[in-house]
Amino acid sequence: MEPVKLALLGASGSIGESTLAVVRANPGKFKVEAVTGNTNLSALQKIVEEFSPRHVCVADSNGVAALRRVLPSDVHVHGGDDSIVMAASLPEVEIVVGAVVGFAGLRSTLAAIDSGKRLALANKESLVAGGELVMSRLRKSRARMLSIDSEHASIHQCLVGYKSGVGIRKIAITASGGPFLHTDVSLLDHVTPAEAVRHPRWQMGAKISVDSATMMNKGLEVIEAHYLFGLPLQDIEVLVHPQSIVHGLVEFNDRSVIAALYEANMQSPIAFVLEDFYRELRCPGCHDGFGEREQRERNFATTNSSLDLIKKGRLEFMPVDAGKFPALDLCRKSLQRGGSAAAVLNAANEEAVSMFLGGEIRFTEIVQIVEAVTSSHQIVPLETYEQIVAVDRWAREAARKI
Ligand code: MG
């Protein structure tokens, strides 16, 4: 069987690393055709040495000449934001893994959808800022999109496992609670960027780590889940679960619940989504073949360790403390307000997080800024990519001014 050709956008980040680990653990299944990165050239070089993609793209055009010097001459090196879009729409590519960080990922998300790819999406900001547009383009194209956010991939896994996929009462996504779950609220004013990115369960990039510390990440994921699963806000629950073993739960109309459990590790959700796409592309007859004899061999491997529930001991669940973590309610409100509200929230948050990481503002000011920007914003409908970009720019300037 021909390997499935893959474009990996954001290859040098932590999702890129986990995706490549899955590719490595399943030899012969995938061919990495294109990789993209931002500024980490040495990471890209190492990836090229191991996986020999035909195309390498760097968002920062300054890196092109340096990469050409060190890479084999048959590797095509491209630069600039347009090259990321090009990688997402290469005709030979069958699966795009979208792991660009932040709003910058929206263009390539749209490009992958418009060119009919199977899109494994890690860039939740695409859906937060451009949810309506992304979903309407998806309906018009033959593309398929699955999230490789662990919670959402878990929900998808539960739905596929249940086969019928109908009669869903509600879903729940879990949150570890981040590094400040047990920190007194009065101390949050003084936490440093280093403390905020030190996540107890997940090794992730700086932006998403800060989002986890404010719990903005969970709010963004609620918006993401709303678009992915077409559920109203009241049917999407958030549970704080410090052990990060249960990732997503689905309750059906008969009040039974299916949940996905695994050791906190991104390889499991990525492998599940890639396998789903792989079956569809190379084994259409077995796409829904759960319970078949060859199931064990067909399941994709990961290097994640087996879950030992006895060793784990207690699994705890609790509600989100909305007074201490107001970001979640802000996200719910912005989705209720509709139109440009979530795009503004996303942009203000990206800007505030970068100001916090740069030492310009306090930790608690991140959410205060997002709240001030969203409440001063006059909502407009968002129908085009250009409108989203304009609103995004406005919100970033407004956040900087505060
Ligand atoms: Mg997540």
Side-chain angles (χ1 to χ4, degrees), residues 213-294:
T214 58
M215 290 198 72
M216 183 66 79
N217 183 51
K218 219 39 63 177
L220 302 181
E221 289 183 351
V222 167
I223 300 175
E224 182 187 10
H226 162 76
Y227 287 113
L228 287 169
F229 304 111
L231 292 171
L233 263 182
Q234 68 267 21
D235 294 343
I236 306 169
E237 218 174 272
V238 174
L239 296 171
V240 174
H241 168 46
Q243 291 80 15
S244 293
I245 293 297
V246 180
H247 302 280
L249 309 91
V250 179
E251 183 180 321
F252 297 91
N253 279 334
D254 61 3
R255 301 296 198 269
S256 66
V257 174
I258 296 186
L261 289 74
Y262 48 88
E263 289 281 358
N265 179 306
M266 286 309 293
Q267 281 188 44
S268 295
I270 291 170
F272 181 77
V273 166
L274 290 185
E275 179 170 10
D276 185 308
F277 286 156
Y278 183 89
R279 286 186 192 199
E280 201 178 34
L281 287 160
R282 293 290 183 270
C283 187
C286 63
H287 184 235
D288 292 320
F290 279 80
E292 287 175 20
R293 218 163 6 104
E294 321 88 298

Side-chain angles (χ1 to χ4, degrees), residues 124 147-152 173-174 202 204 208 212 217-218 221 224 266:
K124 69 193 76 170
S147 170
I148 50 174
D149 209 344
S150 54
E151 296 81 353
H152 306 75
I173 57 177
T174 58
W202 298 90
M204 307 179 289
I208 187 172
S212 296
N217 183 51
K218 219 39 63 177
E221 289 183 351
E224 182 187 10
M266 286 309 293

Side-chain angles (χ1 to χ4, degrees), residues 88-303:
S89 32
L90 281 169
E92 62 271 32
V93 162
E94 300 172 88
I95 295 179
V96 173
V97 178
V100 173
V101 177
F103 178 72
L106 177 58
R107 265 187 84 198
S108 49
T109 295
L110 291 172
I113 289 171
D114 291 344
S115 31
K117 306 300 185 200
R118 279 161 181 81
L119 172 62
L121 184 71
N123 174 251
K124 69 193 76 170
E125 291 88 345
S126 285
L127 278 174
V128 175
E132 297 292 341
L133 182 67
V134 168
M135 298 315 282
S136 93
R137 294 270 192 98
L138 194 60
R139 283 189 290 272
K140 286 181 202 139
S141 98
R142 55 193 176 80
R144 258 190 95 208
M145 178 175 79
L146 292 174
S147 170
I148 50 174
D149 209 344
S150 54
E151 296 81 353
H152 306 75
S154 295
I155 301 272
H156 176 66
Q157 191 166 13
C158 295
L159 293 175
V160 174
Y162 195 74
K163 271 190 177 170
S164 68
V166 294
I168 302 162
R169 248 191 106 235
K170 62 177 185 185
I171 62 173
I173 57 177
T174 58
S176 68
F180 307 131
L181 179 61
H182 303 297
T183 306
D184 192 90
V185 65
S186 64
L187 302 174
L188 290 182
D189 261 346
H190 306 289
V191 302
T192 65
E195 289 167 327
V197 300
R198 204 179 303 133
H199 197 278
R201 300 278 168 207
W202 298 90
Q203 285 287 335
M204 307 179 289
K207 197 263 175 180
I208 187 172
S209 296
V210 175
D211 282 347
S212 296
T214 58
M215 290 198 72
M216 183 66 79
N217 183 51
K218 219 39 63 177
L220 302 181
E221 289 183 351
V222 167
I223 300 175
E224 182 187 10
H226 162 76
Y227 287 113
L228 287 169
F229 304 111
L231 292 171
L233 263 182
Q234 68 267 21
D235 294 343
I236 306 169
E237 218 174 272
V238 174
L239 296 171
V240 174
H241 168 46
Q243 291 80 15
S244 293
I245 293 297
V246 180
H247 302 280
L249 309 91
V250 179
E251 183 180 321
F252 297 91
N253 279 334
D254 61 3
R255 301 296 198 269
S256 66
V257 174
I258 296 186
L261 289 74
Y262 48 88
E263 289 281 358
N265 179 306
M266 286 309 293
Q267 281 188 44
S268 295
I270 291 170
F272 181 77
V273 166
L274 290 185
E275 179 170 10
D276 185 308
F277 286 156
Y278 183 89
R279 286 186 192 199
E280 201 178 34
L281 287 160
R282 293 290 183 270
C283 187
C286 63
H287 184 235
D288 292 320
F290 279 80
E292 287 175 20
R293 218 163 6 104
E294 321 88 298
Q295 177 71 30
R296 279 176 74 94
E297 291 91 85
R298 272 215 307 267
N299 269 355
F300 276 19
T302 70
T303 59

